[in-house]
Amino acid sequence: MKLPVNAGVMLIAAAILAGPVRAQETDDGWDLATDPATDSVSASVSYASGASIIVLCRAGTLLTGISGTPLSRDSSRRALLTRGDDFSTEGQWDRSADGRLGLSNAPMTARFLRLGGSVTLQSIDGDPAPFNVAFALPASGAVVDQVLTACDQPLTREHDRATDVSDLLLQGLAIEMPATAAPRTGGVQAISLTCLIAGGRLTGCVSESQQPPNPEGGAATARRANGERARFSNEAAAEGGRVEIVVTGARIRR
C-alpha cells in the first residue's frame, strides 16, 4: 500500500506540465524546471502523441506523473512498467484532481525512469480495460538524478529488482511506531516501508516516504520493522521478494 498523493504536489505537477517555471532545455532530452517559491525541482519530457512524463520533488516529497495515458481515467489503477532488459516494476497510480495525470509517489518509479531507453506502460493481468503504451525515454537520466537527489533519494536501491510479494502478505502484521516517528505538529503520521523477505522475516527495511515528511521517524520505524515475522499465503514464493507496507500509528496497513 502506498501513501496517498499530496494534493498540493498534484497541482504543482500539473502546472509544470502546462508551462514549466524557470525551465531549462537540457542536452539529454529531459527538461529541468525549478521554482524556489514552492521549493520544487522537476524533470519532464513530452511526446508528439501528447503524452508527458514528469518527476517532481517539492519540499521533500517525490512524485512521478504521466499525462495522456489511460492512467488518468480512473481514481486509482495498478500498472506495470517494463524495460527492454525485462526489468519491471508494478505499482499504484492515482488520478490527479484535474484528471490530467496518473501519479505515483513510489521513489522506485522515478529510479526506473532514470535508466532511460524503451519502456512499456501496460495494464496488469485481469484489468477490465487493458492498455499498452510505449515510450522512448532519454538515454541519460542526469536531470532525473537531480530531482531524486533534491528529495534525498538514492539513485539505486537493491529492493527495486526484487519481486513484489505484498499481495501474499497475510493480515496481522503489526509494528509499534517509535516515539521519534510521531508527527511534530500533531495529527497522524503515515510511514511507507519497503522490506525484503529472508527466512520469513522482514529485513533491509527502508522508508522512502512519509506524510508529513519525517525522514528520521521513517528510519527509526524501518529499523524497528527489521526482524519482524511475516506470514504469507505462499511462504516459498515470498522468500527473497519485497513487501511494501504503510505504518500508521502502531499498525501496518496493506
Side-chain angles (χ1 to χ4, degrees):
M1 179 178 179
K2 291 295 182 185
L3 299 181
V5 177
N6 181 279
V9 179
M10 286 185 184
L11 294 176
I12 295 295
I16 289 175
L17 287 181
V21 178
R22 299 192 182 182
Q24 306 168 32
E25 292 291 335
T26 59
D27 293 336
D28 64 4
W30 289 94
D31 292 334
L32 176 68
T34 60
D35 184 5
T38 58
D39 190 16
S40 301
V41 57
S42 71
S44 62
V45 60
S46 299
Y47 298 88
S49 66
S52 298
I53 301 173
I54 181 172
V55 181
L56 167 72
C57 177
R58 176 180 183 253
T61 297
L62 185 70
L63 182 72
T64 300
I66 300 180
S67 67
T69 75
L71 287 179
S72 60
R73 295 176 187 170
D74 299 302
S75 59
S76 182
R77 192 170 193 171
R78 295 192 69 80
L80 183 70
L81 280 167
T82 304
R83 286 172 45 81
D85 58 5
D86 292 329
F87 178 27
S88 63
T89 178
E90 179 184 327
Q92 176 178 312
W93 295 78
D94 300 310
R95 183 177 59 196
S96 62
D98 62 4
R100 291 183 56 209
L101 300 170
L103 301 164
S104 167
N105 56 11
M108 185 186 305
T109 304
R111 289 195 292 266
F112 183 94
L113 296 176
R114 70 176 286 274
L115 297 174
S118 298
V119 170
T120 300
L121 172 70
Q122 63 190 77
S123 52
I124 61 173
D125 291 343
D127 192 309
F131 65 90
N132 186 304
V133 182
F135 294 100
L137 293 174
S140 171
V143 175
V144 179
D145 291 353
Q146 291 184 54
V147 180
L148 284 163
T149 300
C151 264
D152 295 323
Q153 293 292 342
L155 303 184
T156 61
R157 180 85 80 182
E158 63 172 319
H159 302 63
D160 294 357
R161 289 186 179 267
T163 301
D164 187 354
V165 296
S166 302
D167 289 345
L168 301 179
L169 185 64
L170 299 176
Q171 296 290 340
L173 183 62
I175 293 174
E176 181 182 354
M177 184 179 287
T180 54
R184 301 181 179 89
T185 57
V188 176
Q189 176 74 67
I191 294 176
S192 176
L193 299 179
T194 300
C195 303
L196 298 174
I197 303 300
R201 295 185 180 276
L202 305 183
T203 184
C205 294
V206 294
S207 173
E208 297 184 300
S209 59
Q210 313 87 32
Q211 284 191 6
N214 183 359
E216 296 84 0
T221 303
R223 289 193 296 270
R224 180 159 292 186
N226 284 324
E228 287 291 320
R229 180 74 171 92
R231 301 189 182 279
F232 298 89
S233 57
N234 186 328
E235 299 284 348
E239 188 68 13
R242 74 171 191 274
V243 291
E244 299 175 359
I245 49 187
V246 174
V247 180
T248 303
R251 184 164 298 277
I252 288 179
R253 304 178 304 169
R254 280 204 302 118

